[in-house]
Every structure is written in structure tokens, then in C-alpha cells.
Amino acid sequence: MSRANGTLKLEIRKVVKNFGGLQALKGVSLTIEGSQLVGLIGPNGAGKTTLTNIISGLLRPTSGQIWFNGERIDTLRPYHIARKGIGRTFQVTRAFRRMTVLENMLAPGIVKHPYMSRRELEKKALEIMEFLTIDHLRYERAGNLSGGQQKLLELARLLMLDPQLIILDEPFAGVHPKLQRTIYDYIKRVREQGKAIILISHDMESIFTLSERLVVLNFGEIIADGPPEEVKNDPAVIEAYLGRDEEEEHDLRRAY
Amino acid sequence: MEWMAPNLFPVAWMSVSSTYVIRLILEGLLIGVIYALMALGLTLIFSVLNIVSFAHGEFYMIGGYVVYVLLNKFKALPGPAALILAAVVTFTIGAVFERLFLQPMARGQVDRPSEYAILVTFGLSFVLQYIMLAIMGPFPKKAPRFFSFPKLDLGFLRTTRTTLFLGEIPLPGGRIFAAVIAVLALMAILYFMYRTWTGWALQAVSQDRNAAAVVGINPLNMNTLAFALGGMLAGLAGAVLVTVFSWVPWVGVPASAKSFVIIVLGGMGSIPGSLVGGLILGVVESLGTGFWPNPATAQAYRDVFGLIMFALVLLVKPTGLFGRKL
Amino acid sequence: MTFRRIYVLWVLTGVFLLGLLFYPVLPKVNLQSYWLLVGMTALFYAILASSWSLLAGYTGQFSFAHMAFMGLGTYAAGIMIRDWGLTPWIATIAGVLVTGVVGWLIGYLCLRLRATYLALFTIAFAEIFRLVVKAEVKITGGPNGLEMPPYQRPEAFDRLMKAILPYWDANQYVPAYYTMALLFFLSLLFMFFLVRSRFGLFFRAVREDEEAAAALGVHVVNTRVLAFVVSSMIAGLAGIVFHHFIGLVVPDEMIIGRMSLIIAMAVIGGSQNLVGAALGAIFIHFALEWLQQIPMPLPVLERLLFLESWGFSVDLQAGLLRTNAWRMVGFGILLMLTLRFAQNGLISPILDWLARKEAVEEVAKRFQAQRDMGAVDAVQPVTSPANPTDDLEAEGEKA
Ligand SMILES: Nc1ncnc2c1ncn2[C@@H]1O[C@H](COP(=O)(O)OP(=O)(O)OP(=O)(O)O)[C@@H](O)[C@H]1O
Ligand SMILES: [Mg+2]
């Protein structure tokens, strides 16, 4: 797998997104330079997934721009953005259910490496799948996999694109602790390869240990941005989190 | 026509032409009302079940045949009774089909529901067409007109037994009658949709299935009702037009094509969209046909204008005039 | 060597190809022009059904204009021959290109949107195209149809073929049959390789989840347009070649009822599998032909439906047409039942079952067992060999 060079730069400039009367993002600006692991947290409905969808081109921002490596990408189509090196997973897994696991892997592989032979691609796919412990399922229809295994498949599939920046939307949600460990290792390893990661999670424990920088989104606005230690003690963050629903409060207590 | 276009231009061409244009527009509106009625049925189905019925034209065809058969068999049967029976028959076909073939979809018993919906409604259209071909034969039928004007002469507005004259503009009585019935049916269905409890329930389901289910509306029953009502509206459109056009088993195909144009033009699932879209299509067709240079092929090109409009809408604004989202 | 189901498939394929090759001299056919015509029509429908299912079964898009594209290509070729004096061979290519261009335009218009729009637009396009062709008598010959001159074959070719097949010139339909058979074979082969290629992978990925495919870099619109254009061009080609042998094309071949029949053939055969759809077409065409041989007890049917009592006159011509219509109703109902209860069709599942490697099933079964024991996520990876295919092959041999 090729090492991403250090020139990576993602700039989100004053992105606003309206859904009818609802303003999901109220002018979000964020710059990610060089390979970093940025944790993105925020209560339910804060706009995290919306931001992800806008970066990957599935949604158009109402206003604002997104630049990636000196190029404006918010006007591009999703496939174009993906080929530029931004990969993402979905909060609700979206494997190609009636295709085998291997075919799921090959589709993005061919996109990225149109001239690579099938055999080589398969080898590359198997390496990734082996690391994520799903290689034995390669001829299984993806729809037959368990929810957690489908999550792993999505993570694996993503790497076939050789992305520079990876956006993971809640990879730990609804996953058995054992698999969580696998995903945790995956993130660390991908990080070591020099890729930038935006990690969205409600699992405070892993996000505090993994992220090098923490961004907090609340009601479509960034209310804190900095090293995890600082953000943790930011009064605005505590305010935003406390008094919301119990589950999150619980998460927070675990985190502190 | 002095009362419309004062003769500023001293040429006969102008006055003839403006009369002609007005006549075309009026004719377009008359037929447009019926298109709107039919498209409204499709809109109702789409907004509640979130599918397009590809058998819509066949409900139209069957509505017409029912009236034809009844009027032929029972000469004494009053026209409106035949219309009501046509409505009942098409409603029943719609309800039975929905229960048998679409309900499993809502229950999640079929794979790839959106693809299934397209094919299974198309399958229904196939079956209905050939059933009617088998029963009625391939030769064109035309129902006797069951309405004639009282003789009237109010100067500007005159009638003969079959035609109504607005000034110099002749309007065929059959179409006026059909349009009047269509307007009444439209008013009835809009009243039902907006002023009755069941209508509200239908709308509630169309806006949010789960929320509707929570407040005690059974979405499955609403599905059946919407599909049957939608089919019934197409059946009514056919029932009023069978006295105007001649009827063959595949008469529903261009009719459904028109409804498709209208719902896309108006915006899928929009009730005002299908009303306005129907009138627009009627007028555009009428004007286009009226000014087509070669009268021999003009009727064949009637539908082409709709198709061009369809393409333009898809190109420029796929959400249509009143569309919410895609 | 152990018995494997794939051998059955090979044998069946061999039998089918032999049947295809020697159909003209099969006992009942016996070089009669009627049966040769039936055979080549069946193959014509088979090409149409399988190319339709290339679009429907692999991309989940539905074109109701497949017959219209067939007609478009044929009329384009016929008109170019008549007015521009092209030779039939060149006109064939030109006609296919015309279908491709129109297909591309319609594809670009509709395929950016969800599947319903293509279905809506093509049904309107097909009907209106037919009406226009019928009306433009000066250009298209109107309802009476357009003449399609036969292909010119070099004499040497005929002599060669006669040396190979002694009955080559027994009947004008013998060369026609073989041309259709060759076209059928080649188009099926072409589509087969297309769906096995990367494009097939993209077709399916886009069908499964458009957004996920796009997020992985697949160009959704282009992928769909490609499938639509290829499928339409094959329909056009089949139409042109077929009608050059028939000698005439009429607009009513494009009626929606005919389109419905193609769809019924593809769906009943199984539109998820090109061969399944093609076999469905062949079976249904012969079934319709066979049903026509049985005198339908018309009076029984009519009385059954109390039609006489409703006072419809039953003349013989219309009566015949009606009994045929009832047969079509039967297929329509079969279509709906297939959709409802066997979405993969009636033939495809058998082919799929025969083609599926036992080893794959073995593996699947093993993991199913583990899952049933509740060890879903804790499954340890089996040691992975370097070559995935070999390892399965080996497991299959062991089993
Ligand atoms: N397609 C849409 N149409 C309308 N509203 C939407 C749409 N997508 C998101 N929203 C709204 O935008 C807001 C932000 O949603 P988003 O999914 O981005 O939140 P989130 O931060 O990902 O929440 P969660 O933690 O629950 O995943 C929500 O109020 C949601 O209802
Ligand atoms: Mg989210």
C-alpha cells in the first residue's frame, strides 16, 4: 500500500446545509493539514453525518466550499471525489449485499487500478481482508454476513481505493467488543500508513485515546477544536453534552 | 372576433387566427381536465405507495369498456349509472390486485421492491390488455352518446343537440359533457382528500408512514384504498371518454403515457402539480396539433408534444413544477 | 474423479448447442420453411430477451422501449437502403449506430434519475415512436410497412456453405436460420463476457447501492448508460438482421403487447441470468407455437365467460384472435406469479445451482453452522493460501 505523502490538505470553508427549514450545518469551517487523526464528536443530530456526506459529494452544501489538495471539490460528483482519494464508510453499513465479499472488494480496486491484473487485485484484497479477519468469507454473499462483519467489509473495501483521507462514520457502533478491538487496530495501522482519518464516534473511550485532535460539533456549529485534553475540559463542551439524553451522559462519565 | 381582439390589424388572418387559437385552447382545457383526473389517480398512488402504476392506462381502458358494454346491453340504463358501475369495477380490480400483489411488498416479502413494483404493475397491464382483447376483440368500439343538449340560443352562447357554440367557436358536446363529469369527479376526490377523515389518513400515510401507523392508521389499508381509488379515477376518465373516442384494448397505452408526462411535469406526488400539469398538457397538445403543418399526420404527433415536454422537464427540472424532492 | 454438478451443465450446454446447429434437420422440422421460421423467430426473441435482461437483471433499470429500439434500428437501416442506396451490410452497421446514439441520448436523459424515470420515459417513447412511424407514410411506408431487401452473399460463400452443409440451399430460410443462430450465439457470448468483466461488477454494484458505489469511485451514470446503450444496440442489430430475412418490417411489431411478451419471456426464464432469459424466450415461443396447434375449444371458453349471452358476435377471424389472446393472458398471469413467487425466474435458478461450485457451498455451509452455534463474530480466519481459487477447487475435490 502506497504511503500517502504529507501534502494532504482538506479545507472546509463556511459550509452551510439546509434541509427545508432545518439548518443542519451553520457555517462549519475546518482545516485538516497533513495526516492527522481527527475525532469528530457531537450529540445526535449535530450534523456529523451531514458533514461527511457533503465532503464525499453525496450532498451539495447550500453555501460554502470544500477544497482538497488545492482543488475545489464541493462541486464534484461523488465518484470523482472518491478517485481523488477521499474514502468513507457509512453509519448504516452499505455493503453490496448480493455480491460476494471479494467482489465487493474488487469493484473499488478496479476503479483505482484499472490496469492491474485481476490476480494481483485479488491478492491485494486478500491481504486487507486477512488483516480484518474476513478473508475466510470471501466467497460469501455480503448480505449473509453479520452486521459486524459487514462493518469490517466496509472498512476493507475502502482501502482498495488507496485513499489519502478516510472518514469513518461510527465504526464502533453496534459491534461486539472483540471486533471493536479489530477495528481499533485497523485504525491504528491505517494511521501508521500515513493516511489522514476523520473518526466519528460516540464511543468516548476510543475516541479520546485514538484522536490527535478533537472537534466538537453541536447543532451544526463547531464549539470546540483542539487537543483532546483541552477539549475535554472545555466548559462549552460539557454544557453541550450534559443534560442531553442519558446514554450520552453515560458515555461522557465513562470518558472522564 | 371583435369582442376579444379589437380589429387593430386590418387583416382577416388575424381575427381568424385568434379565434382558432382560442378554440384550440378551449379544446385543450376540456381534454386537459380529463387528463388531470387520470393523472391525479397516479399521483394518489405514488404519494401513498411510492410506486408508479404501469397499469394505469388499462384501468382507463376497462372503465371505457364497462360503460360501452352496459350501454349496449341495457339500452335503458341511465348514463350516470354506467359511470358509477365503471368506477366500481375499476375500484374492485385495483383493490384485489393491490391485496394480492402489492401488499406483500409493503410487508417486506419481496426482494428489491422498487423493481418488483415496476414489473408487476406492468404485468397487470399485460394481462388486462389481453383479457380485454380476448373478450372484446380487436375492432374499435364506440359507445353511444348518452347526453344531448337542450336547444338553446342566448346569442353569444348557442347549442345544437350535439354542439355548443361560444360565439363562433364550436365545441363538441361529448367533450363538454366528459369535462363536466371530470370536474365533478375531481371536486369530489379533492373534497374526499382534504375534508374527510379517511382523506386525512391517506395524506398522513403519504407524508410519514410510521407516524401515521403510530396514531392508529393502518398503512396497509390505506395502500389498498389509494391504489383502488387511483385506478378508479383512471377508470372514470375512460368511462367519460368512451363516448368521444373509439375504444380498442390498447387504448390505454397512450393514455398512460400522457399521465406519466403529467406527473413528471407537475412533480411526482404533487396533487396541484397533476391538476396544472393535466391542463398544460391538454393545451400544449391541442395547440401543437392545431398548428401542425400536415393535417394528415397531425393526430399522430399529438402525443409527440407531450414526449418533448417530458424530455425537457427531465433535462431542466426533473423535480417538476411542484415537486418536493427526488 | 467425483461427480460434480458442473458436468451436468456442460453436457446440457453441449446438447443445446448441437440442437441449435442441427435444428433444421431435426425430424419434425425437416427443413420445412414454417418450422425454420419458427426457429429463427425464437432465436430473435431470445436475443431480445437476453439483451433486455442485461439491462434489467444486472443494472435494475427497465426499458420498455426495447422493441422500439429494435424497430428504430430496422427502420433506420431500411430507409438508408431505400433512400441513400446503402448496401444492406453497411446499412446494418449504420442502423445499429443510430440505435446507439438514440439510446445514449435517452440514457443520459433518464439514467441520472431513479429507475422509474427510465421506465416512464421509454414506455412513452415506444408508443409515440410507433404512432409516428405509422403516420409518416411517405418516409416509413406507414401501417403497410417498409421493405427490407435481402443480404447479398458472395457466390463463393454459398458454394462453401453447401460443401459443409448439403442442405444449405434447400430453402431460403436455412441460411436465415443459421445467420440468426450465429447472431444469437455471438451476442450471448459478448454479453456474457461483458457481465463477467469489470463492467459487470460495476453494473451490479450500482444496482445494489448507488451511493455506496459512487462513494467508492464508480461512475454511476456512465455505468448505467453503457448498459442501456449496449442493450439497445443489440436489440437494433437483432431487428435489422431478422427483418432483412423476413423482407418487411411493420410498425405494429413494436406494440406494447409484444414488448410485454419479451419481458414475460425474460422474467419467466430469469432475468438475473442472460442464458436463463434466452432459454425462457425459446421455450415460450415454442410453447405459444405448440398451443396454437391445439384447437382451443372456443365455444367452451366463450360460454364459460357468459359472453354469448352478452350478445357479442363471434366471427371466425376474431374468434381465432381471441383464443390467441387467452393464451397470452395465461403467460401474463404466469409472469405475475413468477414475479411474486420466484423472482429469479424458473430456469435461472437451475442453471445457477448447476454452475455454483460445490466447494463454495461447502464453505458457506460450514460458516452457517458456526453462525448457528452463535460464534458469529468470533470466527477465526482460516489459514489463507496464496491462491483463492485453487484452494476452493481443492476443497471441492476433497468433498
Ligand atoms: N436528508 C435529510 N433530509 C432532511 N433532514 C436531514 C437529512 N439528513 C439529515 N437531516 C437532519 O439534519 C440534522 C443532522 O443530521 P446528521 O445525520 O448529520 O446528525 P449526526 O450528527 O450524524 O447524528 P447521529 O449522531 O445521530 O448520527 C438532523 O436534525 C437530521 O434530522
Ligand atoms: Mg450520524
Side-chain angles (χ1 to χ4, degrees):
Chain A
M1 264 163 281
S2 64
R3 217 161 209 291
N5 47 24
T7 59
L8 177 142
K9 186 174 185 190
L10 177 79
E11 274 179 275
I12 300 167
R13 297 184 188 163
K14 293 192 188 133
V15 164
V16 175
K17 180 70 195 177
N18 295 336
F19 290 113
L22 186 138
Q23 198 163 37
L25 294 176
K26 304 171 181 162
V28 171
S29 297
L30 183 67
T31 306
I32 297 171
E33 211 162 346
S35 73
Q36 284 184 313
L37 199 158
V38 181
L40 180 61
I41 59 172
N44 291 113
K48 305 180 293 291
T49 301
T50 306
L51 186 61
T52 310
N53 285 341
I54 288 177
I55 296 173
S56 58
L58 294 177
L59 288 176
R60 288 275 156 90
T62 309
S63 69
Q65 301 182 346
I66 298 181
W67 291 70
F68 185 61
N69 291 346
E71 227 183 317
R72 189 171 167 188
I73 60 165
D74 58 281
T75 49
L76 299 182
R77 303 271 206 89
Y79 75 92
H80 208 150
I81 296 174
R83 292 178 189 184
K84 293 232 173 281
I86 300 183
R88 63 160 304 178
T89 64
F90 291 89
Q91 184 165 3
V92 182
T93 36
R94 295 172 84 165
F96 304 129
R97 298 177 61 84
R98 288 172 194 78
M99 291 162 66
T100 66
V101 170
L102 189 62
E103 283 170 335
N104 265 270
M105 300 285 293
L106 288 181
I110 293 172
V111 167
K112 185 70 188 182
H113 308 282
Y115 302 111
M116 208 187 252
S117 77
R118 191 81 156 225
R119 190 159 280 251
E120 263 180 278
L121 274 174
E122 276 182 16
K123 212 172 131 217
K124 182 177 155 89
L126 273 173
E127 260 170 40
I128 298 173
M129 290 196 291
E130 200 178 328
F131 181 76
L132 281 164
T133 70
I134 49 170
D135 55 331
H136 58 287
L137 295 167
R138 56 187 169 269
Y139 296 113
E140 194 67 62
R141 276 171 140 219
N144 294 347
L145 265 54
S146 76
Q149 288 167 333
Q150 287 189 24
K151 275 230 138 96
L152 293 181
L153 170 58
E154 258 201 315
L155 294 171
R157 197 170 66 172
L158 186 64
L159 289 190
M160 292 299 285
L161 266 180
D162 289 341
Q164 280 183 283
L165 169 69
I166 294 179
I167 309 174
L168 304 176
D169 198 351
E170 312 215 8
F172 299 113
V175 171
H176 185 267
K178 216 166 200 165
L179 277 196
Q180 277 189 359
R181 189 71 223 170
T182 312
I183 297 175
Y184 192 91
D185 291 344
Y186 162 92
I187 294 174
K188 289 207 116 154
R189 179 163 139 169
V190 169
R191 192 59 208 86
E192 279 159 20
Q193 289 166 356
K195 297 182 197 301
I197 300 180
I198 298 179
L199 175 63
I200 299 173
S201 182
H202 288 299
D203 180 20
M204 295 301 154
E205 227 166 84
S206 34
I207 208 146
F208 275 109
T209 42
L210 278 170
S211 51
E212 295 148 22
R213 173 180 165 196
L214 200 55
V215 176
V216 185
L217 203 61
N218 191 27
F219 286 115
E221 282 171 315
I222 292 183
I223 57 169
D225 182 355
E229 296 308 312
E230 262 174 45
V231 171
K232 199 177 351 189
N233 302 319
D234 190 324
V237 176
I238 298 173
E239 166 116 17
Y241 267 124
L242 292 177
R244 296 198 69 78
D245 59 56
E246 266 114 290
E247 192 195 320
E248 276 174 19
E249 246 178 271
H250 174 72
D251 275 346
L252 244 113
R253 271 192 216 114
R254 262 203 307 164
Y256 283 92
Chain B
M1 283 197 61
E2 300 78 53
W3 59 276
M4 251 341 267
N7 239 335
L8 298 179
F9 303 96
V11 270
W13 179 83
M14 193 60 210
S15 76
V16 166
S17 164
S18 66
T19 316
Y20 187 54
V21 170
I22 291 163
R23 182 179 137 203
L24 290 177
I25 292 178
L26 283 176
E27 279 178 356
L29 289 174
L30 281 182
I31 198 84
V33 173
I34 300 164
Y35 293 168
L37 180 66
M38 196 169 161
L40 184 66
L42 211 48
T43 297
L44 192 59
I45 295 172
F46 181 82
S47 59
V48 175
L49 286 92
N50 207 14
I51 66 168
V52 174
S53 165
F54 284 86
H56 206 57
E58 280 55 47
F59 284 93
Y60 166 88
M61 180 265 291
I62 286 183
Y65 269 129
V66 169
V67 168
Y68 167 80
V69 167
L70 288 174
L71 290 185
N72 248 18
K73 175 75 181 165
F74 308 104
K75 297 272 192 292
L77 193 77
L83 291 183
I84 289 172
L85 276 168
V88 170
V89 169
T90 43
F91 184 93
T92 313
I93 295 175
V96 170
F97 171 76
E98 203 282 337
R99 283 277 148 161
L100 290 181
F101 286 96
L102 296 181
Q103 195 137 108
M105 206 175 90
R107 289 179 190 280
Q109 290 165 350
V110 291
D111 220 11
R112 306 185 189 282
S114 59
E115 297 176 14
Y116 170 79
I118 294 176
L119 284 182
V120 84
T121 53
F122 188 75
L124 176 68
S125 88
F126 178 22
V127 170
L128 291 180
Q129 264 181 39
Y130 277 104
I131 287 183
M132 292 320 278
L133 176 63
I135 297 178
M136 303 302 301
F139 305 115
K141 314 271 188 206
K142 194 164 178 183
R145 139 190 350 273
F146 47 83
F147 174 85
S148 55
F149 284 117
K151 221 160 166 46
L152 214 66
D153 194 347
L154 306 174
F156 169 64
L157 189 137
R158 286 180 297 124
T159 59
T160 66
R161 213 170 55 80
T162 58
T163 316
L164 183 141
F165 288 89
L166 271 182
E168 302 152 34
I169 303 174
L171 294 169
R175 293 192 182 206
I176 293 187
F177 172 74
V180 168
I181 300 273
V183 169
L184 290 178
L186 272 177
M187 278 158 49
I189 197 76
L190 290 178
Y191 177 85
F192 170 77
M193 289 296 291
Y194 289 109
R195 289 280 176 275
T196 64
W197 192 88
T198 320
W200 286 331
L202 273 179
Q203 288 194 15
V205 173
S206 86
Q207 271 150 30
D208 190 335
R209 299 192 74 78
N210 298 328
V214 169
V215 299
I217 299 167
N218 181 351
L220 290 181
N221 288 342
M222 289 299 132
N223 280 359
T224 310
L225 180 64
F227 194 87
L229 270 182
M232 186 191 85
L233 292 184
L236 269 178
V240 297
L241 281 185
V242 71
T243 58
V244 178
F245 299 126
S246 53
W247 228 240
V248 285
W250 38 89
V251 72
V253 181
S256 63
K258 288 184 212 293
S259 320
F260 298 158
V261 175
I262 295 168
I263 58 165
V264 174
L265 173 67
M268 296 269 247
S270 155
I271 290 178
S274 53
L275 300 183
V276 175
L279 295 180
I280 292 179
L281 181 69
V283 171
V284 167
E285 272 186 357
S286 177
L287 286 176
T289 316
F291 286 106
W292 191 254
N294 180 355
T297 57
Q299 279 309 317
Y301 280 92
R302 170 171 279 273
D303 293 315
V304 173
F305 305 108
L307 189 69
I308 293 170
M309 220 151 65
F310 198 152
L312 286 179
V313 174
L314 288 186
L315 198 64
V316 179
K317 194 166 186 291
T319 50
L321 296 176
F322 297 82
R324 288 176 279 188
K325 57 175 192 292
L326 273 189
Chain C
M1 202 166 77
T2 45
F3 170 80
R4 286 169 63 186
R5 287 194 306 250
I6 192 88
Y7 302 150
V8 179
L9 193 64
W10 287 341
V11 169
L12 286 179
T13 311
V15 169
F16 178 75
L17 288 178
L18 283 177
L20 196 65
L21 203 58
F22 293 112
Y23 171 81
V25 285
L26 289 185
K28 192 156 184 245
V29 180
N30 205 9
L31 294 175
Q32 293 168 52
S33 48
Y34 176 75
W35 283 107
L36 286 173
L37 194 63
V38 170
M40 65 185 275
T41 312
L43 292 176
F44 171 57
Y45 284 152
I47 300 172
L48 289 172
S50 57
S51 57
W52 185 80
S53 55
L54 172 72
L55 184 69
Y58 289 83
T59 65
Q61 300 282 324
F62 300 100
S63 162
F64 292 125
H66 210 56
M67 281 313 249
F69 276 108
M70 184 283 295
L72 174 70
T74 311
Y75 270 99
I79 289 169
M80 282 189 275
I81 294 170
R82 190 194 57 196
D83 292 353
W84 300 350
L86 296 188
T87 67
W89 292 110
I90 295 176
T92 301
I93 297 169
V96 172
L97 290 181
V98 170
T99 5
V101 170
V102 176
W104 184 82
L105 286 175
I106 293 183
Y108 241 87
L109 200 60
C110 304
L111 291 168
R112 298 169 292 144
L113 309 165
R114 57 181 192 173
T116 319
Y117 283 88
L118 184 73
L120 289 173
F121 191 85
T122 49
I123 209 168
F125 171 79
E127 180 65 9
I128 289 159
F129 178 69
R130 182 181 72 87
L131 290 175
V132 170
V133 166
K134 221 170 168 171
E136 284 293 349
V137 181
K138 280 207 194 91
I139 303 172
T140 62
N144 294 331
L146 180 72
E147 244 177 80
M148 299 287 289
Y151 288 115
Q152 305 298 318
R153 291 189 300 270
E155 216 153 285
F157 176 76
D158 271 334
R159 247 180 281 126
L160 177 72
M161 287 311 292
K162 174 124 178 87
I164 303 170
L165 291 175
Y167 53 87
W168 177 257
D169 55 1
N171 185 317
Q172 58 153 324
Y173 287 112
V174 175
Y177 171 83
Y178 278 110
T179 315
M180 281 316 279
L182 184 69
L183 188 65
F184 167 73
F185 184 72
L186 291 181
S187 61
L188 213 56
L189 209 62
F190 171 72
M191 289 189 281
F192 187 76
F193 280 114
L194 185 70
V195 301
R196 288 290 146 121
S197 75
R198 58 189 55 190
F199 297 110
L201 213 55
F202 294 160
F203 290 165
R204 287 160 61 207
V206 167
R207 181 190 194 188
E208 287 303 323
D209 192 328
E210 195 180 316
E211 288 194 342
L216 290 170
V218 180
H219 195 311
V220 174
V221 181
N222 278 2
T223 304
R224 283 189 190 143
V225 170
L226 175 77
F228 183 62
V229 169
V230 168
S231 150
S232 302
M233 283 171 84
I234 292 176
L237 178 64
I240 298 171
V241 173
F242 181 71
H243 287 99
H244 272 302
F245 287 109
I246 298 297
L248 185 75
V249 56
V250 293
D252 279 351
E253 281 177 67
M254 297 184 278
I255 56 169
I256 210 77
R258 205 57 89 78
M259 183 70 239
S260 318
L261 187 61
I262 300 288
I263 292 178
M265 288 167 166
V267 170
I268 292 171
S271 60
Q272 324 281 326
N273 184 320
L274 296 168
V275 181
L279 289 180
I282 292 172
F283 280 135
I284 288 181
H285 188 70
F286 276 96
L288 278 170
E289 213 44 57
W290 176 70
L291 282 172
Q292 236 155 55
Q293 309 293 308
I294 307 172
M296 182 73 82
L298 178 67
V300 177
L301 257 181
E302 297 280 18
R303 233 162 256 134
L304 205 67
L305 285 147
F306 305 104
L307 287 178
E308 307 280 59
S309 70
W310 286 79
F312 301 116
S313 63
V314 182
D315 67 294
L316 206 63
Q317 192 64 35
L320 206 67
L321 213 140
R322 282 182 192 177
T323 50
N324 282 339
W326 281 118
R327 292 183 186 117
M328 296 296 273
V329 171
F331 280 103
I333 291 173
L334 185 60
L335 164 69
M336 287 170 68
L337 292 178
T338 309
L339 280 170
R340 171 70 187 87
F341 297 107
Q343 270 193 307
N344 290 337
L346 304 180
I347 301 177
S348 297
I350 304 174
L351 297 178
D352 289 343
W353 181 72
L354 287 176
R356 193 173 153 88
K357 285 206 186 85
E358 279 97 334
V360 175
E361 260 169 30
E362 203 55 43
V363 174
K365 236 181 259 159
R366 218 168 53 224
F367 286 111
Q368 187 60 49
Q370 270 166 342
R371 181 174 312 154
D372 292 345
M373 287 188 311
V376 194
D377 291 336
V379 177
Q380 285 305 308
V382 290
T383 43
S384 76
N387 188 330
T389 346
D390 288 349
D391 115 68
L392 276 178
E393 218 82 79
E395 276 177 42
E397 299 295 348
K398 258 184 278 156

